[in-house]
Amino acid sequence: MFDLLVTETNRYAAQVLANKIDTLKLHSRVNNWKNVDTSEMRAFISILFVMGLSKKPSYESYWSRWQRHFQPDREVSVDESMIAYKSQTGLLQYMPNKPHKWGIKSWGLADSRTGYMWNWQVYTGRQEGGRPHGLTYEVVTSLCQPLYGKGHHVYMDNFFISPTLFQELSDNQTGACGTLRAYRLDVPQPVKDARPKAGDDPHLFRDNEFLYITWTEKRKVNLLTSIHNGSCFFKRVRSKASPNCFREVRKPKAVQLYSQHMGGVDLADKQLQYNMVLHRCCRWWKKVFLYLMELSFNNALVIFKAANPGKRVNSEKFTLVIATKFLEGYDRLGVVKPGHPAASLERPARLTARHFPGKTQENKNKGKMSCNDCVVCSNRTARRHQTTFICKSCNVYMCPVPCFERYHSLVNYRITCNPGLHD
Protein backbone atom coordinates (compact mmCIF):
# COMPACT_ATOMS: atom_id res chain seq x y z
CA MET A 1 0.00 0.00 0.00
CA PHE A 2 2.79 2.44 0.88
CA ASP A 3 4.63 1.68 -2.36
CA LEU A 4 1.44 2.49 -4.28
CA LEU A 5 1.02 5.79 -2.38
CA VAL A 6 4.62 6.78 -3.13
CA THR A 7 4.33 5.90 -6.82
CA GLU A 8 1.07 7.79 -7.35
CA THR A 9 2.20 10.81 -5.30
CA ASN A 10 5.38 11.23 -7.33
CA ARG A 11 3.49 10.66 -10.58
CA TYR A 12 0.92 13.30 -9.66
CA ALA A 13 3.71 15.76 -8.77
CA ALA A 14 5.35 15.19 -12.13
CA GLN A 15 2.05 15.91 -13.90
CA VAL A 16 1.54 19.14 -11.93
CA LEU A 17 5.09 20.34 -12.67
CA ALA A 18 4.69 19.56 -16.36
CA ASN A 19 1.40 21.44 -16.61
CA LYS A 20 2.55 24.50 -14.64
CA ILE A 21 6.15 24.83 -15.80
CA ASP A 22 5.43 28.07 -17.69
CA THR A 23 3.21 29.67 -15.02
CA LEU A 24 5.05 28.93 -11.76
CA LYS A 25 6.24 31.94 -9.82
CA LEU A 26 9.89 32.24 -8.83
CA HIS A 27 9.34 31.53 -5.13
CA SER A 28 6.57 28.95 -5.50
CA ARG A 29 7.04 26.03 -3.11
CA VAL A 30 6.31 23.69 -6.02
CA ASN A 31 9.81 24.50 -7.31
CA ASN A 32 11.24 22.81 -4.21
CA TRP A 33 9.44 19.53 -4.80
CA LYS A 34 11.47 16.36 -4.29
CA ASN A 35 10.12 12.88 -4.84
CA VAL A 36 9.01 11.13 -1.66
CA ASP A 37 10.06 7.66 -0.56
CA THR A 38 8.41 4.98 1.55
CA SER A 39 9.90 6.14 4.86
CA GLU A 40 8.60 9.69 4.32
CA MET A 41 5.13 8.39 3.44
CA ARG A 42 5.03 6.23 6.57
CA ALA A 43 6.10 9.25 8.63
CA PHE A 44 3.36 11.37 7.04
CA ILE A 45 0.69 8.77 7.90
CA SER A 46 2.11 8.60 11.42
CA ILE A 47 1.69 12.38 11.83
CA LEU A 48 -1.92 12.15 10.65
CA PHE A 49 -2.69 9.51 13.27
CA VAL A 50 -1.11 11.55 16.06
CA MET A 51 -2.97 14.68 14.93
CA GLY A 52 -6.20 12.81 15.64
CA LEU A 53 -5.28 12.56 19.33
CA SER A 54 -5.10 16.31 19.84
CA LYS A 55 -7.47 18.31 17.66
CA LYS A 56 -6.29 21.84 16.90
CA PRO A 57 -7.93 24.66 14.93
CA SER A 58 -5.22 24.53 12.27
CA TYR A 59 -2.13 22.62 11.15
CA GLU A 60 0.17 25.28 12.45
CA SER A 61 -1.17 24.72 15.97
CA TYR A 62 0.38 21.43 16.30
CA TRP A 63 -10.24 -2.32 0.66
CA SER A 64 -9.65 -6.21 0.07
CA ARG A 65 -6.99 -6.01 2.78
CA TRP A 66 -9.86 -5.71 5.26
CA GLN A 67 -11.44 -9.01 4.18
CA ARG A 68 -8.21 -11.00 4.42
CA HIS A 69 -7.55 -10.31 8.10
CA PHE A 70 -10.96 -10.59 9.77
CA GLN A 71 -13.93 -12.90 9.47
CA PRO A 72 -17.20 -11.23 10.54
CA ASP A 73 -19.78 -12.87 12.79
CA ARG A 74 -22.96 -14.34 11.35
CA GLU A 75 -24.79 -11.01 11.71
CA VAL A 76 -23.65 -8.19 9.42
CA SER A 77 -25.34 -4.97 8.32
CA VAL A 78 -25.41 -2.93 5.12
CA ASP A 79 -25.93 0.81 5.30
CA GLU A 80 -24.94 4.11 3.72
CA SER A 81 -22.39 6.49 5.18
CA MET A 82 -21.36 10.07 4.53
CA ILE A 83 -17.81 11.43 4.21
CA ALA A 84 -18.12 15.06 5.28
CA TYR A 85 -17.15 17.34 2.36
CA LYS A 86 -18.47 20.61 0.92
CA SER A 87 -16.16 21.55 -1.96
CA GLN A 88 -17.14 21.17 -5.59
CA THR A 89 -17.18 17.64 -6.97
CA GLY A 90 -19.51 15.57 -9.10
CA LEU A 91 -19.78 13.11 -6.18
CA LEU A 92 -21.28 15.66 -3.76
CA GLN A 93 -24.53 14.51 -2.13
CA TYR A 94 -27.02 16.12 0.27
CA MET A 95 -28.62 13.91 2.94
CA PRO A 96 -30.60 15.97 5.49
CA ASN A 97 -31.04 13.07 7.93
CA LYS A 98 -27.32 12.43 8.36
CA PRO A 99 -25.05 14.15 10.96
CA HIS A 100 -22.93 15.39 8.03
CA LYS A 101 -25.54 16.61 5.57
CA TRP A 102 -23.10 17.41 2.73
CA GLY A 103 -20.46 15.02 1.56
CA ILE A 104 -19.49 11.98 -0.50
CA LYS A 105 -21.85 9.05 -0.06
CA SER A 106 -20.53 5.54 0.38
CA TRP A 107 -21.89 2.08 1.07
CA GLY A 108 -20.52 -0.28 3.66
CA LEU A 109 -20.94 -3.82 4.99
CA ALA A 110 -19.87 -4.04 8.62
CA ASP A 111 -19.80 -6.62 11.38
CA SER A 112 -22.82 -5.87 13.59
CA ARG A 113 -21.09 -6.63 16.89
CA THR A 114 -17.72 -4.88 16.48
CA GLY A 115 -18.28 -2.29 13.74
CA TYR A 116 -15.50 -3.80 11.60
CA MET A 117 -15.92 -2.41 8.07
CA TRP A 118 -15.56 -5.59 5.99
CA ASN A 119 -16.52 -4.27 2.55
CA TRP A 120 -16.90 -0.74 1.21
CA GLN A 121 -17.51 1.21 -1.98
CA VAL A 122 -18.04 4.84 -2.88
CA TYR A 123 -21.15 6.05 -4.71
CA THR A 124 -20.08 7.39 -8.10
CA GLY A 125 -23.47 8.53 -9.37
CA ARG A 126 -25.69 7.26 -12.15
CA GLN A 127 -24.27 4.81 -14.64
CA GLU A 128 -24.78 4.85 -18.38
CA GLY A 129 -27.34 2.29 -19.45
CA GLY A 130 -28.96 2.20 -16.01
CA ARG A 131 -29.18 -0.77 -13.67
CA PRO A 132 -31.60 -3.61 -14.51
CA HIS A 133 -32.62 -4.23 -10.89
CA GLY A 134 -32.03 -0.77 -9.47
CA LEU A 135 -29.22 0.87 -7.53
CA THR A 136 -29.91 -0.62 -4.09
CA TYR A 137 -30.11 -4.16 -5.48
CA GLU A 138 -26.67 -3.86 -7.09
CA VAL A 139 -25.15 -2.20 -4.01
CA VAL A 140 -26.24 -4.95 -1.61
CA THR A 141 -25.40 -7.84 -3.92
CA SER A 142 -21.93 -6.48 -4.73
CA LEU A 143 -21.14 -5.90 -1.04
CA CYS A 144 -22.48 -9.31 0.03
CA GLN A 145 -21.13 -11.38 -2.86
CA PRO A 146 -17.89 -12.42 -1.03
CA LEU A 147 -20.08 -13.80 1.79
CA TYR A 148 -22.35 -15.91 -0.42
CA GLY A 149 -22.77 -19.52 0.66
CA LYS A 150 -21.44 -18.99 4.20
CA GLY A 151 -24.75 -18.65 6.06
CA HIS A 152 -24.51 -14.99 7.06
CA HIS A 153 -27.51 -12.88 8.08
CA VAL A 154 -27.60 -9.42 6.49
CA TYR A 155 -29.58 -6.60 8.13
CA MET A 156 -30.52 -3.44 6.22
CA ASP A 157 -33.05 -0.62 6.35
CA ASN A 158 -36.00 0.10 4.06
CA PHE A 159 -33.88 2.06 1.58
CA PHE A 160 -32.37 -1.19 0.27
CA ILE A 161 -35.00 -3.88 0.78
CA SER A 162 -37.15 -5.45 -1.92
CA PRO A 163 -38.53 -8.99 -2.36
CA THR A 164 -36.36 -9.39 -5.48
CA LEU A 165 -33.20 -8.65 -3.49
CA PHE A 166 -34.20 -11.10 -0.74
CA GLN A 167 -34.73 -13.80 -3.34
CA GLU A 168 -31.24 -13.23 -4.75
CA LEU A 169 -29.68 -13.47 -1.28
CA SER A 170 -31.73 -16.56 -0.42
CA ASP A 171 -30.63 -18.29 -3.63
CA ASN A 172 -27.04 -17.81 -2.44
CA GLN A 173 -27.59 -19.19 1.09
CA THR A 174 -27.57 -15.75 2.71
CA GLY A 175 -30.35 -14.74 5.10
CA ALA A 176 -31.70 -11.20 5.32
CA CYS A 177 -33.90 -9.02 7.50
CA GLY A 178 -34.96 -5.39 7.44
CA THR A 179 -37.69 -2.82 7.43
CA LEU A 180 -39.77 -2.57 4.27
CA ARG A 181 -41.50 0.14 2.29
CA ALA A 182 -44.89 -1.34 1.57
CA TYR A 183 -45.27 0.36 -1.81
CA ARG A 184 -42.26 -1.50 -3.29
CA LEU A 185 -42.86 -3.75 -6.31
CA ASP A 186 -43.74 -7.38 -5.60
CA VAL A 187 -44.93 -6.64 -2.03
CA PRO A 188 -48.11 -8.75 -1.46
CA GLN A 189 -51.37 -6.84 -1.23
CA PRO A 190 -52.25 -8.13 2.30
CA VAL A 191 -49.07 -6.49 3.57
CA LYS A 192 -50.02 -3.18 1.96
CA ASP A 193 -53.52 -3.36 3.46
CA ALA A 194 -52.47 -4.35 7.01
CA ARG A 195 -53.09 -1.58 9.57
CA PRO A 196 -52.77 -2.93 13.11
CA LYS A 197 -53.33 -0.56 16.02
CA ALA A 198 -51.02 -0.02 18.97
CA GLY A 199 -51.37 -2.97 21.35
CA ASP A 200 -52.68 -5.35 18.66
CA ASP A 201 -50.88 -8.56 17.78
CA PRO A 202 -48.59 -8.24 14.77
CA HIS A 203 -49.98 -9.14 11.36
CA LEU A 204 -48.03 -11.98 9.77
CA PHE A 205 -48.00 -12.99 6.13
CA ARG A 206 -45.93 -15.90 4.85
CA ASP A 207 -44.78 -15.97 1.19
CA ASN A 208 -42.76 -19.16 0.65
CA GLU A 209 -39.58 -18.72 2.74
CA PHE A 210 -40.20 -15.01 3.41
CA LEU A 211 -42.17 -13.66 6.37
CA TYR A 212 -43.80 -10.21 6.31
CA ILE A 213 -44.47 -8.68 9.75
CA THR A 214 -46.59 -5.56 10.29
CA TRP A 215 -46.58 -4.27 13.85
CA THR A 216 -47.56 -0.97 15.50
CA GLU A 217 -46.25 0.54 18.71
CA LYS A 218 -45.80 4.28 18.28
CA ARG A 219 -45.94 3.97 14.51
CA LYS A 220 -46.40 1.16 12.03
CA VAL A 221 -43.39 -0.98 11.16
CA ASN A 222 -43.20 -3.29 8.14
CA LEU A 223 -40.52 -5.97 8.36
CA LEU A 224 -39.39 -8.56 5.84
CA THR A 225 -37.27 -11.49 7.00
CA SER A 226 -36.05 -14.83 5.71
CA ILE A 227 -34.38 -15.89 8.98
CA HIS A 228 -37.01 -15.35 11.73
CA ASN A 229 -40.42 -16.63 12.67
CA GLY A 230 -43.41 -14.74 14.04
CA SER A 231 -42.73 -15.39 17.75
CA CYS A 232 -43.16 -12.50 20.21
CA PHE A 233 -42.05 -11.61 23.73
CA PHE A 234 -43.15 -9.11 26.34
CA LYS A 235 -40.95 -6.07 26.77
CA ARG A 236 -41.16 -3.55 29.62
CA VAL A 237 -41.16 0.04 28.36
CA ARG A 238 -41.63 3.46 29.98
CA SER A 239 -45.11 4.99 29.95
CA LYS A 240 -46.21 8.17 31.72
CA ALA A 241 -49.86 7.11 31.46
CA SER A 242 -49.30 3.90 33.45
CA PRO A 243 -49.60 3.90 37.27
CA ASN A 244 -46.01 2.76 37.85
CA CYS A 245 -44.64 4.57 34.73
CA PHE A 246 -44.02 1.24 32.98
CA ARG A 247 -46.08 -1.06 30.82
CA GLU A 248 -45.55 -4.31 28.96
CA VAL A 249 -45.57 -4.47 25.16
CA ARG A 250 -45.84 -7.62 23.07
CA LYS A 251 -43.07 -7.21 20.53
CA PRO A 252 -41.99 -9.50 17.67
CA LYS A 253 -38.54 -11.00 18.24
CA ALA A 254 -37.61 -10.24 14.64
CA VAL A 255 -38.10 -6.49 15.27
CA GLN A 256 -35.93 -6.67 18.40
CA LEU A 257 -33.15 -8.55 16.58
CA TYR A 258 -33.28 -6.06 13.72
CA SER A 259 -32.73 -3.19 16.18
CA GLN A 260 -29.86 -5.12 17.78
CA HIS A 261 -27.93 -6.02 14.62
CA MET A 262 -28.67 -3.17 12.19
CA GLY A 263 -26.11 -0.66 13.46
CA GLY A 264 -22.77 -2.11 12.30
CA VAL A 265 -21.94 0.70 9.86
CA ASP A 266 -23.21 3.35 12.30
CA LEU A 267 -20.99 1.81 15.00
CA ALA A 268 -17.97 2.08 12.70
CA ASP A 269 -18.76 5.76 11.97
CA LYS A 270 -19.19 6.41 15.70
CA GLN A 271 -15.82 4.87 16.53
CA LEU A 272 -14.14 6.99 13.84
CA GLN A 273 -15.13 10.16 15.69
CA TYR A 274 -12.94 9.36 18.70
CA ASN A 275 -9.60 9.78 16.88
CA MET A 276 -10.59 11.33 13.57
CA VAL A 277 -7.78 13.05 11.71
CA LEU A 278 -8.17 16.83 11.51
CA HIS A 279 -7.35 17.40 7.88
CA ARG A 280 -9.12 19.93 5.71
CA CYS A 281 -8.93 19.07 2.04
CA CYS A 282 -9.80 20.80 -1.20
CA ARG A 283 -9.49 17.56 -3.17
CA TRP A 284 -12.24 14.99 -2.79
CA TRP A 285 -9.89 12.06 -3.31
CA LYS A 286 -7.77 13.19 -0.36
CA LYS A 287 -10.86 13.20 1.81
CA VAL A 288 -11.77 9.69 0.68
CA PHE A 289 -8.22 8.48 1.32
CA LEU A 290 -8.21 9.88 4.85
CA TYR A 291 -11.61 8.30 5.51
CA LEU A 292 -10.31 4.91 4.35
CA MET A 293 -7.21 5.35 6.49
CA GLU A 294 -9.40 6.03 9.54
CA LEU A 295 -11.50 2.95 8.74
CA SER A 296 -8.31 0.91 8.47
CA PHE A 297 -7.23 2.12 11.90
CA ASN A 298 -10.62 1.22 13.38
CA ASN A 299 -10.45 -2.22 11.76
CA ALA A 300 -6.96 -2.73 13.15
CA LEU A 301 -8.23 -1.87 16.63
CA VAL A 302 -11.07 -4.40 16.27
CA ILE A 303 -8.59 -7.10 15.20
CA PHE A 304 -6.31 -6.30 18.15
CA LYS A 305 -9.20 -6.58 20.61
CA ALA A 306 -10.29 -9.87 19.04
CA ALA A 307 -6.74 -11.23 19.33
CA ASN A 308 -6.48 -10.12 22.99
CA PRO A 309 -9.86 -10.96 24.58
CA GLY A 310 -10.38 -9.53 28.02
CA LYS A 311 -7.53 -7.03 27.66
CA ARG A 312 -8.37 -3.38 28.11
CA VAL A 313 -7.27 -1.38 25.08
CA ASN A 314 -6.75 2.39 25.12
CA SER A 315 -7.33 3.76 21.63
CA GLU A 316 -4.95 6.71 22.19
CA LYS A 317 -2.07 4.43 23.19
CA PHE A 318 -2.91 2.16 20.27
CA THR A 319 -2.67 5.17 17.93
CA LEU A 320 0.73 6.14 19.34
CA VAL A 321 2.06 2.59 18.91
CA ILE A 322 1.02 2.55 15.25
CA ALA A 323 2.44 6.03 14.66
CA THR A 324 5.75 5.03 16.28
CA LYS A 325 6.01 1.93 14.11
CA PHE A 326 5.38 3.97 10.96
CA LEU A 327 8.23 6.31 11.95
CA GLU A 328 10.78 3.49 12.12
CA GLY A 329 13.41 3.95 9.42
CA TYR A 330 12.60 7.60 8.79
CA ASP A 331 15.80 9.71 8.62
CA ARG A 332 15.23 13.12 10.19
CA LEU A 333 18.74 14.36 9.28
CA GLY A 334 18.86 17.12 6.74
CA VAL A 335 15.27 18.32 7.21
CA VAL A 336 15.32 22.10 7.49
CA LYS A 337 12.83 23.94 9.69
CA PRO A 338 11.27 27.16 8.34
CA GLY A 339 12.58 30.49 9.55
CA HIS A 340 16.12 30.79 10.93
CA PRO A 341 17.20 27.35 12.20
CA ALA A 342 20.34 26.74 14.17
CA ALA A 343 23.50 26.31 12.14
CA SER A 344 23.83 22.65 13.25
CA LEU A 345 20.48 21.81 11.63
CA GLU A 346 21.08 23.58 8.33
CA ARG A 347 21.47 21.34 5.27
CA PRO A 348 24.94 21.96 3.78
CA ALA A 349 25.03 23.60 0.36
CA ARG A 350 27.15 20.72 -0.94
CA LEU A 351 24.04 18.48 -0.63
CA THR A 352 21.65 20.80 -2.49
CA ALA A 353 23.49 22.79 -5.21
CA ARG A 354 24.58 21.61 -8.66
CA HIS A 355 28.15 20.23 -8.78
CA PHE A 356 30.56 19.24 -11.58
CA PRO A 357 33.98 17.59 -11.34
CA GLY A 358 37.09 19.11 -12.87
CA LYS A 359 40.89 19.24 -12.64
CA THR A 360 42.87 21.85 -10.79
CA GLN A 361 44.48 24.58 -12.91
CA GLU A 362 47.28 25.30 -10.46
CA ASN A 363 50.83 24.30 -11.50
CA LYS A 364 53.82 23.40 -9.39
CA ASN A 365 57.47 23.53 -10.37
CA LYS A 366 58.42 21.68 -13.57
CA GLY A 367 54.87 22.22 -14.97
CA LYS A 368 53.24 19.36 -13.14
CA MET A 369 49.52 19.50 -12.15
CA SER A 370 48.89 20.53 -8.54
CA CYS A 371 47.41 17.87 -6.22
CA ASN A 372 46.14 17.84 -2.64
CA ASP A 373 44.60 15.57 -0.02
CA CYS A 374 41.11 14.19 -0.83
CA VAL A 375 38.63 15.69 1.61
CA VAL A 376 36.72 12.38 1.76
CA CYS A 377 39.19 9.48 1.93
CA SER A 378 42.56 10.98 2.87
CA ASN A 379 43.71 10.55 6.48
CA ARG A 380 47.25 11.60 7.38
CA THR A 381 47.28 9.39 10.50
CA ALA A 382 45.98 6.26 8.72
CA ARG A 383 46.31 6.39 4.91
CA ARG A 384 46.94 9.55 2.93
CA HIS A 385 45.53 9.93 -0.58
CA GLN A 386 46.08 12.87 -2.92
CA THR A 387 44.19 13.80 -6.10
CA THR A 388 44.24 16.38 -8.89
CA PHE A 389 40.43 16.42 -9.18
CA ILE A 390 38.24 19.07 -7.58
CA CYS A 391 34.58 20.07 -7.41
CA LYS A 392 34.22 23.23 -9.51
CA SER A 393 31.43 24.58 -7.28
CA CYS A 394 32.89 23.73 -3.87
CA ASN A 395 36.58 24.20 -4.90
CA VAL A 396 37.49 21.18 -2.79
CA TYR A 397 39.85 18.35 -3.72
CA MET A 398 38.24 14.91 -3.95
CA CYS A 399 38.59 11.68 -5.90
CA PRO A 400 36.12 11.28 -8.78
CA VAL A 401 35.06 7.77 -7.65
CA PRO A 402 33.52 7.24 -5.16
CA CYS A 403 34.39 10.31 -3.13
CA PHE A 404 32.66 12.88 -5.37
CA GLU A 405 29.29 11.17 -4.92
CA ARG A 406 29.75 10.58 -1.16
CA TYR A 407 30.66 14.22 -0.52
CA HIS A 408 27.55 15.55 -2.30
CA SER A 409 25.01 13.00 -1.04
CA LEU A 410 25.90 12.08 2.55
CA VAL A 411 25.99 14.12 5.73
CA ASN A 412 28.74 11.91 7.20
CA TYR A 413 30.83 11.45 4.09
CA ARG A 414 34.29 10.64 5.57
CA ILE A 415 35.83 7.23 4.75
CA THR A 416 39.32 5.75 5.08
CA CYS A 417 41.13 5.03 1.82
CA ASN A 418 41.90 1.38 1.05
CA PRO A 419 43.38 -0.43 -1.97
CA GLY A 420 40.00 -1.36 -3.49
CA LEU A 421 38.13 1.90 -2.80
CA HIS A 422 38.80 3.54 -6.18
CA ASP A 423 38.43 0.49 -8.43
Side-chain angles (χ1 to χ4, degrees):
M1 182 187 72
F2 284 108
D3 291 341
L4 177 63
L5 291 175
V6 169
T7 300
E8 293 301 319
T9 298
N10 292 335
R11 185 171 68 90
Y12 177 71
Q15 293 174 349
V16 172
L17 289 171
N19 293 334
K20 296 185 176 181
I21 189 170
D22 297 327
T23 59
L24 284 178
K25 297 182 179 179
L26 178 62
H27 299 290
S28 172
R29 62 180 181 177
V30 178
N31 292 320
N32 298 324
W33 168 260
K34 296 180 180 178
N35 283 349
V36 300
D37 55 28
T38 304
S39 64
E40 289 178 302
M41 185 61 68
R42 292 171 68 93
F44 170 68
I45 300 300
S46 172
I47 292 172
L48 294 181
F49 276 128
V50 176
M51 288 173 65
L53 298 178
S54 178
K55 296 179 174 61
K56 303 294 183 182
S58 64
Y59 297 130
E60 291 74 14
S61 304
Y62 353 26
W63 4 102
S64 59
R65 291 182 301 271
W66 297 345
Q67 299 175 8
R68 188 166 62 244
H69 298 293
F70 185 85
Q71 184 63 27
D73 290 345
R74 184 181 65 175
E75 288 76 20
V76 297
S77 66
V78 171
D79 203 355
E80 55 190 354
S81 183
M82 185 70 82
I83 306 172
Y85 189 74
K86 287 188 176 180
S87 296
Q88 293 296 323
T89 173
L91 303 180
L92 192 65
Q93 297 285 316
Y94 175 71
M95 300 179 64
N97 295 328
K98 291 291 184 180
H100 302 294
K101 293 178 174 54
W102 290 97
I104 301 171
K105 185 161 68 173
S106 62
W107 321 103
L109 183 149
D111 179 60
S112 297
R113 179 178 60 86
T114 62
Y116 186 96
M117 190 67 74
W118 197 80
N119 204 354
W120 181 92
Q121 59 184 234
V122 67
Y123 174 58
T124 57
R126 295 183 178 180
Q127 294 183 357
E128 294 184 4
R131 298 175 169 90
H133 298 287
L135 169 64
T136 56
Y137 177 95
E138 293 195 5
V139 167
V140 176
T141 53
S142 62
L143 290 175
C144 296
Q145 193 275 333
L147 295 177
Y148 279 176
K150 299 180 180 179
H152 286 275
H153 295 173
V154 184
Y155 291 82
M156 61 199 92
D157 62 23
N158 57 27
F159 177 72
F160 299 94
I161 286 184
S162 68
T164 306
L165 171 62
F166 269 48
Q167 188 63 57
E168 168 68 17
L169 296 175
S170 178
D171 292 342
N172 289 279
Q173 295 79 50
T174 302
C177 175
T179 54
L180 175 70
R181 297 177 182 177
Y183 56 80
R184 285 281 174 92
L185 292 175
D186 301 326
V187 174
Q189 191 62 39
V191 178
K192 298 180 179 180
D193 296 337
R195 283 171 175 71
K197 297 180 181 179
D200 292 349
D201 289 341
H203 287 200
L204 306 178
F205 181 82
R206 174 69 67 175
D207 183 14
N208 295 324
E209 70 268 38
F210 304 142
L211 177 65
Y212 294 85
I213 301 175
T214 303
W215 176 71
T216 301
E217 173 50 32
K218 293 182 179 179
R219 60 179 179 269
K220 187 175 74 169
V221 175
N222 292 309
L223 195 80
L224 176 59
T225 177
S226 62
I227 52 181
H228 305 113
N229 54 32
S231 60
C232 299
F233 71 103
F234 286 98
K235 183 177 181 180
R236 197 163 180 253
V237 297
R238 292 182 179 274
S239 175
K240 294 181 180 180
S242 301
N244 58 354
C245 297
F246 287 94
R247 62 186 177 90
E248 287 191 339
V249 175
R250 193 164 183 264
K251 185 175 184 180
K253 289 184 178 179
V255 175
Q256 178 66 21
L257 291 173
Y258 167 81
S259 301
Q260 179 180 341
H261 297 305
M262 177 56 210
V265 176
D266 291 336
L267 178 59
D269 286 342
K270 179 181 177 182
Q271 291 171 164
L272 292 184
Q273 303 300 319
Y274 296 143
N275 294 300
M276 182 169 286
V277 175
L278 177 65
H279 197 99
R280 297 178 180 177
C281 305
C282 294
R283 298 285 189 270
W284 68 266
W285 42 267
K286 287 185 180 179
K287 198 68 176 180
V288 172
F289 165 74
L290 292 173
Y291 178 79
L292 292 176
M293 185 188 70
E294 292 158 0
L295 282 179
S296 298
F297 168 80
N298 183 65
N299 286 352
L301 185 58
V302 171
I303 292 175
F304 184 82
K305 290 180 179 178
N308 299 272
K311 183 177 181 180
R312 297 185 63 182
V313 182
N314 184 289
S315 61
E316 292 186 1
K317 292 182 179 179
F318 189 76
T319 302
L320 289 174
V321 170
I322 292 181
T324 302
K325 287 295 182 180
F326 281 166
L327 282 172
E328 289 182 357
Y330 176 64
D331 183 12
R332 186 67 176 85
L333 294 176
V335 178
V336 182
K337 294 182 178 180
H340 301 281
S344 60
L345 296 179
E346 290 182 353
R347 192 173 179 85
R350 61 183 173 82
L351 300 181
T352 58
R354 301 176 66 186
H355 304 273
F356 301 94
K359 281 202 170 186
T360 179
Q361 299 300 317
E362 298 178 3
N363 292 324
K364 287 186 175 181
N365 295 334
K366 301 181 181 180
K368 291 184 177 181
M369 192 72 68
S370 175
C371 61
N372 209 335
D373 289 354
C374 174
V375 71
V376 176
C377 67
S378 183
N379 188 338
R380 289 176 179 261
T381 60
R383 186 182 180 92
R384 187 179 183 186
H385 188 93
Q386 292 189 321
T387 179
T388 60
F389 288 90
I390 64 170
C391 172
K392 294 181 178 180
S393 302
C394 304
N395 197 27
V396 176
Y397 284 82
M398 63 190 73
C399 304
V401 178
C403 302
F404 191 91
E405 180 179 352
R406 290 184 60 87
Y407 183 81
H408 296 107
S409 61
L410 299 175
V411 176
N412 301 315
Y413 57 86
R414 295 285 297 178
I415 190 173
T416 302
C417 186
N418 59 73
L421 180 64
H422 306 289
D423 291 343

